[in-house]
């Protein structure tokens, strides 16, 4: 039986066309390091890295490609930003739907004199923007939020939050783990000061790639989380004061960046910008999401056998659908979907415990189905048929 991959919120599969070949070509035909060799293959690798920075700057509507910093993943990026920027006495606001990639660094920083409040969200995961400003204190430094929930797909109102940040002179920090390459994110339009991204989800590049984009103002306030060799200003033992070197110590994941470069070229698809192809891919994913929600409601619109978590419509969301099965153990249902129907999902708390508290799914969690542009309605039919038989509906 063909495997049916419905776990794209965890990592995309398959990767974008050409990604594996680009990585293999680097490893077999180039192999050079960057900033550390005075020969053509090293210069060629540097060009690919520079072009990848340019593509990412264009994707996120950001003017300075030298302020695009590569890291191993978005978790590292968020640690760089939060631990590099925040100081004892600072207060921040986070959404009630945050992933542990934000919350664990934030909670860790509370032992260093950082405090935080959660912006309330409704039971469908949507934020309540009018409750943001009453939470702002004289020492509030930033608002930190994910763009879209990895649990239920609900999006946060970036435009409104950006305006609030500008009005109150706060930094705006955004986690795009679930939306980079899927939904347009305009850093200038939304007044975003720091944006963290991952390469292996919506961008459909390889694991081990990610990074962040920061304005010059916030970059000058951040202390580097990691320091070491950069291949530049090697006459001094001081950390470089220019970007990207200030935040990019050590040898980067060059095979991964080559793969990410190819993934970005595929996403751009020969167009002047990314929006056209992104919109086409997003429409495919939303069509599948609508189809799956419709079939779930046909199975059970009472909530007795299947409870749909989050939104029941396609407004302000990504292609992530979570359910609970009140009459049967979630892990058992997910195991049977895989073992009997070859349907791969994710079950549990998804590294977002407070999101589940907001959604009223804590501590059991949910079974999460998340779709990519290559999935088909026939695959979703198999998942629905499996649920029908497993739950005896």
């Amino acid at each position: 039986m063909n495997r049916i991959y419905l776990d794209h919120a965890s990592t995309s599969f398959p990767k974008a066309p050409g990604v594996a070949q680009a990585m293999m070509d680097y490893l077999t035909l180039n192999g050079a390091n960057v900033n550390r060799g005075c020969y053509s293959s090293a210069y060629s690798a540097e060009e690919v890295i520079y072009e990848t920075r340019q593509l990412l700057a264009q994707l996120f509507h950001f003017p300075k490609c030298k302020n695009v910093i590569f890291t191993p993943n978005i978790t590292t990026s968020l640690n760089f930003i939060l631990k590099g920027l925040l100081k004892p006495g600072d207060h921040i606001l986070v959404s009630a739907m945050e992933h542990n990639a934000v919350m664990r660094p934030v909670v860790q920083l509370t032992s260093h004199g950082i405090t935080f409040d959660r912006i309330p969200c409704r039971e469908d995961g949507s934020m309540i923007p009018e409750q943001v400003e009453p939470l702002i204190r004289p020492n509030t430094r930033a608002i930190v939020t994910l763009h879209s929930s990895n649990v239920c797909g609900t999006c946060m109102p970036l435009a409104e939050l950006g305006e609030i940040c500008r009005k109150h002179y706060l930094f705006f920090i955004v986690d795009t783990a679930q939306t980079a390459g899927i939904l347009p994110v305009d850093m200038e339009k939304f007044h975003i000061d720091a944006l963290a991204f991952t390469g292996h989800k919506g961008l459909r590049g390889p694991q081990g790639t990610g990074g962040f984009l920061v304005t010059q103002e916030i970059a000058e306030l951040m202390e580097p989380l990691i320091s070491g060799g950069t291949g530049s200003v090697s006459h001094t033992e001081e950390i470089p004061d220019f970007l990207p070197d200030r935040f990019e110590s050590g040898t980067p994941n060059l095979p991964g960046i080559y793969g990410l470069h190819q993934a970005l070229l595929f996403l751009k698809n020969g167009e002047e910008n990314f929006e056209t192809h992104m919109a086409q891919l997003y429409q495919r994913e939303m069509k599948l999401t609508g189809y799956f929600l419709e079939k779930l409601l046909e199975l059970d619109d009472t909530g007795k056998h299947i409870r749909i978590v989050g939104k029941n419509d396609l407004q302000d969301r990504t292609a992530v659908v979570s359910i609970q099965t009140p009459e049967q153990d979630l892990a058992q249902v997910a195991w049977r979907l895989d073992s009997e129907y070859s349907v791969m999902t994710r079950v549990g708390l998804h590294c977002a415990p407070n999101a589940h508290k907001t959604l009223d799914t804590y501590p059991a969690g949910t079974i999460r189905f998340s779709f990519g542009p290559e999935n088909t309605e026939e695959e979703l039919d198999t998942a629905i048929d499996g649920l029908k038989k497993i739950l005896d509906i």
Side-chain angles (χ1 to χ4, degrees):
M1 185 180 294
N2 291 330
R3 309 296 289 173
I4 299 174
Y5 186 76
L6 302 181
D7 194 21
H8 293 268
S10 177
T11 193
S12 58
F13 182 80
K15 300 304 180 184
V19 166
Q21 187 64 50
M23 297 174 72
M24 188 173 73
D25 286 349
Y26 165 75
L27 289 167
T28 57
L29 302 176
N30 186 312
N33 211 335
V34 290
N35 296 340
R36 292 158 174 86
C38 298
Y39 39 86
S40 60
S41 55
Y43 298 144
S44 175
E46 287 169 13
E47 287 178 7
V48 170
I49 287 185
Y50 180 71
E51 288 174 9
T52 309
R53 292 191 211 276
Q54 286 184 310
L55 289 165
L56 288 162
Q58 183 182 4
L59 173 66
F60 296 116
H61 297 270
F62 186 71
K64 294 184 177 181
C65 67
K66 70 182 181 67
N67 289 38
V68 178
I69 312 300
F70 290 114
T71 67
N73 49 59
I74 194 169
T75 299
T76 303
S77 300
L78 290 162
N79 273 265
F80 255 102
I81 296 164
L82 296 169
K83 294 177 180 177
L85 175 68
L86 299 176
K87 303 293 187 290
D90 286 344
H91 171 259
I92 64 170
L93 299 179
V94 300
S95 87
M97 296 295 292
E98 293 307 309
H99 186 279
N100 276 342
V102 165
M103 289 316 304
R104 283 184 173 171
V106 167
V107 170
Q108 186 181 18
L109 284 167
T110 60
S111 65
H112 298 276
I114 311 299
T115 56
F116 72 93
D117 282 300
R118 301 185 204 264
I119 303 167
C121 294
R122 303 178 183 90
E123 197 171 309
D124 66 359
S126 60
M127 186 180 284
I128 308 172
E130 57 269 23
Q131 295 198 21
V132 176
E133 289 186 274
L135 295 172
I136 296 173
R137 306 177 186 175
N139 63 330
T140 302
R141 195 95 185 276
I143 293 177
V144 185
T145 183
L146 44 67
H147 187 186
S148 175
S149 168
N150 68 309
V151 178
C152 63
T154 302
C155 292
M156 300 295 115
L158 296 191
E160 292 178 69
L161 292 172
E163 288 296 337
I164 292 170
C165 286
R166 186 168 73 157
K167 176 182 175 182
H168 292 276
Y169 304 99
L170 306 177
F171 290 120
F172 191 23
I173 301 167
V174 178
D175 166 2
T176 67
Q178 295 296 320
T179 57
I182 295 171
L183 291 173
V185 182
D186 189 323
M187 288 187 68
E188 292 186 303
K189 180 179 178 181
F190 296 156
H191 310 295
I192 297 172
D193 298 284
L195 179 149
F197 71 91
T198 187
H200 73 101
K201 296 187 182 183
L203 293 177
R204 300 177 69 200
Q207 288 93 332
T209 58
F212 59 93
L213 295 78
V214 283
T215 62
Q216 194 62 33
E217 179 185 6
I218 204 170
E220 290 174 2
L221 294 170
M222 286 172 57
E223 286 294 323
L225 188 63
I226 297 172
S227 58
T230 59
S232 59
V233 291
S234 295
H235 64 284
T236 176
E237 294 174 340
E238 300 294 324
I239 300 172
D241 60 2
F242 54 87
L243 301 182
D245 297 41
R246 183 164 178 77
F247 301 119
E248 283 189 357
S249 295
T251 296
N253 176 11
L254 287 164
I257 293 173
Y258 266 71
L260 180 59
H261 177 261
Q262 176 58 37
L264 288 162
L265 290 176
F266 170 78
L267 187 63
K268 194 174 180 185
N269 198 33
E271 302 283 344
E272 287 189 15
N273 55 51
F274 287 90
E275 277 70 20
T276 301
H277 196 211
M278 279 175 57
Q280 293 170 355
L281 297 174
Y282 179 69
Q283 286 168 7
R284 288 184 211 169
E285 293 181 3
M286 284 300 97
K287 183 179 179 183
L288 291 169
T289 304
Y291 182 81
F292 193 69
L293 287 169
E294 181 182 332
K295 293 296 182 181
L296 285 175
L297 290 169
E298 287 177 6
L299 271 187
D300 179 21
D301 62 359
T302 67
K304 178 183 178 182
H305 305 288
I306 297 173
R307 177 198 165 196
I308 298 174
V309 176
K311 292 174 173 286
N312 284 354
D313 58 33
L314 301 184
Q315 186 71 28
D316 297 325
R317 69 173 302 146
T318 53
V320 176
V321 178
S322 268
I323 66 169
Q324 286 193 318
T325 54
E327 296 181 323
Q328 292 201 32
D329 180 77
L330 295 170
Q332 182 72 13
V333 174
W335 177 78
R336 289 188 62 186
L337 281 172
D338 178 42
S339 61
E340 297 175 24
Y341 298 92
S342 297
V343 173
M344 293 176 273
T345 64
R346 171 128 186 233
V347 65
L349 292 171
H350 313 94
C351 302
N354 202 75
H356 281 279
K357 291 175 184 178
T358 302
L359 297 165
D360 193 27
T361 52
Y362 186 88
T366 61
I367 303 171
R368 185 185 70 190
F369 301 81
S370 49
F371 315 123
E374 274 83 24
N375 286 127
T376 65
E377 291 183 357
E378 290 74 20
E379 290 178 326
L380 272 55
D381 285 339
T382 300
I384 291 292
D385 185 55
L387 286 171
K388 181 178 180 179
K389 293 176 181 174
I390 293 167
L391 300 177
D392 193 25
I393 300 176

